[in-house]
Each structure stands twice: as structure tokens, then as C-alpha cells.
Amino acid sequence: MGQGEYGLVDLEEAETPGDEWEEIDVSDTEADRIARKRDREFEQFEERIKDADQFKVEQSVFDDATLAALYKLVQDGYVEAFGGPLSTGKEANVYHALGDDHDVAVKIYRINASNFRQMRDYLEGDPRFEGLGGKKKDVVLAWTKKELANLRRAKNAGVRVPEPIASERNVLVMEYIGNEEGRAKRLGEVHIENPETAYGVMREYMRRLYSAGIIHGDLSEYNVVFDEGQLVIIDVGQAVTVHHPNSRDFLERDCENVASFFSRQGLETDPDELLEFVTTPEPDPSRD
């Protein structure tokens, strides 16, 4: 094992976030305007995407507005070429792509997401989304911007997450975590040589997230990957602020999942002790 295995991000390089929250706007974007006012270049782009082998079986994901969002991201230089799918799910598909001289991951949320009601459960009570309407499109667009904002906040808190790059409508561009052989393996897919060190890193990252005012809400071995000697937390779209009415329940569930996984790795873990560590020494705002 290398000295830096499971190494923590240096807190001196991290910004200390306050309790400010940027307002998230779900009004029409440039992609919506492009979709409404089609031009020859956009139509040619649409044909190239729809004819690409890696997209043929998933054309339900690529409605006109989503294609316009991808077109806008290409125009802005965030994406130069598309690769194959990295993962597919009910809510989103993730694709490998080439950005500006580096690999990126492009996450496309489906507007007709099957877990629409569950998305609302995570959004309602979040101060960034007060007054969000009931339209399915608005919920999915808000979710996409929420993941971008959560990635930025986690990164600023010194938590290793995919580097957030850009979003347009229901499309999110972020750092690709992996290598030429494929995506990084999830924690549950690899043999952990030093589970005690890995658990220590997970504990600290959970505490940093909490101190930054957010709770992952779906943390487990399936949402952490191992990449180049580091643990990387992924899928933070559902993460909520500590002021969310269900934040305590979400945090307790995260602690149960993480403690249970490392218990299966042979460690003596206690979800209550982990909860106390995560919420100490800072006051516990979820009890306010």
C-alpha cells in the first residue's frame, strides 16, 4: 500500500463555507430557447447524436431540449466528443466524454424520471428551492442544479468528489473518475486492504460535509468509489441541507449504512458513535 492510500484532501486547500445558499433558478435556459428556435447547425448536431451507435438504444433520453442542452455545452467548450455509457438508471444516464483536453462525465437526468415523487421529498424543505412548482420538468432541472451546487459545496469543504464543471438544463458535466480501462470501482466492488484507514477517511468526510451544512442522504458503499489511492464520494444530487426537515433521519441512515459496511469488513463499528463523531464538535443544527 502506498503512503497516500485513502488519503484525505488537505483542509488547508479547502474553503470554509458559511451558511449562505445560492438561489437555484429553474426558469428557461439558453437550451430551451435553442430547442424552440431550431437552426441548421443544431439540426445537424441532433442527427449526429441520434445516429451514434452508443445512443441508438437510448433515444428516449434525448428529447429536443436535452439535445439542445448538449449542443449548448458543446458550443461553450465543455464537451468536444462523446463516448459510451458509463451507467444507466431510472433517473439518469452517465456518459464518458472528452472535454477540453481531459475526460469528463456527462450525466443526463430523464425528464420523465420514475422517482419524481422521491425527488420532491429531497427538494421540499431545502431553502434553495422554496417556491418550486409542481411541474416534473422544473423538479428535474432543479435536481440537476442541486447536484452541481452540492458538488461545489462538498469540494470547498475538503471532500473528494468529482470536480463540478457545468450544467445546462437537465445535463451535468463533471470530472470523469476512472482511467482508460473504465470507470472507478465502487467501494463494494473492491477488496479493501486497510478497512480501518478507509473507515477513518469516510468518517472525516461525513463530518466535513455536515460542517459544510449538507448531508449526503444516500451514502453507502455504492456511492463511494476508489480512485488512485483515494475514496471519492459520488451521486450527491439528493444531498440536503442540515435545515431540511428530514435531515436527521437521512444522516442516521447514512451512519447506519457506513457502519454496517465496515462492520462486514471486520471492524468494530457503532452507528451511534459515528453519528456523534459526525455532529461533534459543531452544534447539531438538524435539531433546531
Side-chain angles (χ1 to χ4, degrees):
M1 288 184 123
Q3 182 69 26
E5 192 142 37
Y6 315 136
L8 287 162
V9 173
D10 188 350
L11 264 181
E12 291 184 0
E13 298 178 359
E15 298 177 15
T16 303
D19 198 33
E20 73 289 346
W21 295 99
E22 64 179 274
E23 182 180 350
I24 294 185
D25 182 10
V26 295
S27 59
D28 281 3
T29 69
E30 181 63 22
D32 293 282
R33 291 185 281 275
I34 290 172
R36 285 194 297 268
K37 184 180 179 181
R38 305 168 67 87
D39 60 27
R40 185 167 55 86
E41 289 186 359
F42 170 53
E43 289 177 353
Q44 291 173 346
F45 173 81
E46 183 178 38
E47 287 302 315
R48 287 200 305 273
I49 290 292
K50 286 188 173 180
D51 287 344
D53 288 339
Q54 66 265 39
F55 298 137
K56 282 182 179 177
V57 297
E58 300 169 278
Q59 288 188 14
S60 62
V61 179
F62 298 95
D63 59 22
D64 284 350
T66 299
L67 286 166
L70 290 169
Y71 178 67
K72 180 68 167 58
L73 289 164
V74 169
Q75 283 188 320
D76 291 344
Y78 295 116
V79 178
E80 294 186 357
F82 289 93
L86 296 171
S87 66
T88 59
K90 293 179 179 179
E91 290 79 35
N93 289 4
V94 183
Y95 298 92
H96 190 189
L98 178 65
D100 183 15
D101 296 328
H102 60 278
D103 289 348
V104 297
V106 178
K107 189 171 190 176
I108 303 175
Y109 278 102
R110 300 172 186 266
I111 295 298
N112 295 316
S114 60
N115 280 349
F116 168 70
R117 286 194 175 91
Q118 183 178 350
M119 282 184 170
R120 286 201 64 90
D121 290 342
Y122 284 98
L123 290 171
E124 289 176 347
D126 189 317
R128 295 171 291 180
F129 302 95
E130 292 178 359
L132 182 70
K135 291 182 180 179
K136 184 176 289 190
K137 184 200 81 168
D138 288 347
V139 171
V140 176
L141 268 56
W143 190 272
T144 308
K145 291 190 175 184
K146 179 173 182 264
E147 179 154 17
L148 182 71
N150 287 342
L151 284 170
R152 287 172 175 164
R153 198 168 185 87
K155 180 178 181 294
N156 288 342
V159 177
R160 180 69 175 97
V161 293
E163 176 86 25
I165 298 174
S167 74
E168 181 69 40
R169 204 171 182 275
N170 58 318
V171 181
L172 172 64
V173 181
M174 56 190 162
E175 175 190 4
Y176 169 67
I177 307 295
N179 54 37
E180 62 278 359
E181 296 179 0
R183 65 166 178 83
K185 298 293 186 182
R186 292 181 172 87
L187 201 56
E189 298 174 329
V190 298
H191 171 68
I192 303 175
E193 296 184 27
N194 191 338
E196 185 173 359
T197 301
Y199 183 50
V201 172
M202 283 298 302
R203 282 161 52 95
E204 179 61 26
Y205 278 168
M206 292 175 71
R207 176 188 253 180
R208 291 182 185 183
L209 285 174
Y210 186 83
S211 295
I214 56 175
I215 292 164
H216 189 283
D218 192 28
L219 193 58
S220 72
E221 65 271 24
Y222 302 107
N223 286 328
V224 181
V225 298
F226 183 69
D227 180 61
E228 296 184 351
Q230 284 191 319
L231 300 182
V232 185
I233 294 179
I234 62 172
D235 292 338
V236 299
Q238 74 292 317
V240 300
T241 76
V242 291
H243 304 294
H244 189 284
N246 297 324
S247 64
R248 185 74 179 191
D249 292 339
F250 293 153
L251 180 58
E252 289 176 354
R253 185 175 65 191
D254 284 353
C255 290
E256 288 278 356
N257 289 341
V258 171
S260 176
F261 173 75
F262 282 100
S263 176
R264 297 194 298 274
Q265 307 306 308
L267 298 184
E268 290 188 10
T269 63
D270 181 348
D272 292 333
E273 185 276 332
L274 177 57
L275 179 65
E276 182 179 0
F277 175 84
V278 170
T279 58
T280 304
E282 298 294 326
D284 184 355
S286 67
R287 290 192 180 278
D288 290 348

